[in-house]
Amino acid sequence: MIRLSESVKLRCALGVDYDLRYCHRRYNVHQPSPNRFGGMYGEGSGGPYVNPLTGLASCPDGFKAVQILATSGVDYPVYFCYRKQ
């Protein structure tokens, strides 16, 4: 059976954050994605938290990043990758 999607658990601070998971279709760099969601990435005290779809702290080609968290003294920057259809 071919899995077209997978669940990803984001690393969170033990005893501080709740678990965060999201599901996505696997990303193929050789085919344009039909999806509007292109993963998430962020920064933290342990270094960059990479986007599972790219393996880097970035969005896939054709997607834009929007910052959704980064309150000074509260949390680190988190970016959501999206594409308009």
Side-chain angles (χ1 to χ4, degrees), residues 11-54:
R11 290 191 291 174
C12 302
L14 185 63
V16 177
D17 299 319
Y18 291 107
D19 287 344
L20 176 62
R21 292 183 178 269
Y22 69 88
C23 297
H24 65 88
R25 286 188 164 197
R26 292 186 180 193
Y27 178 66
N28 182 343
V29 296
H30 303 293
Q31 293 180 333
S33 173
N35 304 316
R36 292 182 181 186
F37 176 63
M40 297 170 68
Y41 65 94
E43 301 168 14
S45 60
Y49 295 98
V50 300
N51 183 340
L53 299 179
T54 63

Side-chain angles (χ1 to χ4, degrees), residues 44-85:
S45 60
Y49 295 98
V50 300
N51 183 340
L53 299 179
T54 63
L56 303 169
S58 64
C59 295
D61 289 342
F63 288 80
K64 294 183 185 236
V66 62
Q67 188 171 331
I68 58 173
L69 288 175
T71 303
S72 180
V74 176
D75 51 30
Y76 292 98
V78 175
Y79 300 89
F80 179 93
C81 301
Y82 75 98
R83 178 177 65 189
K84 293 182 180 180
Q85 294 274 2

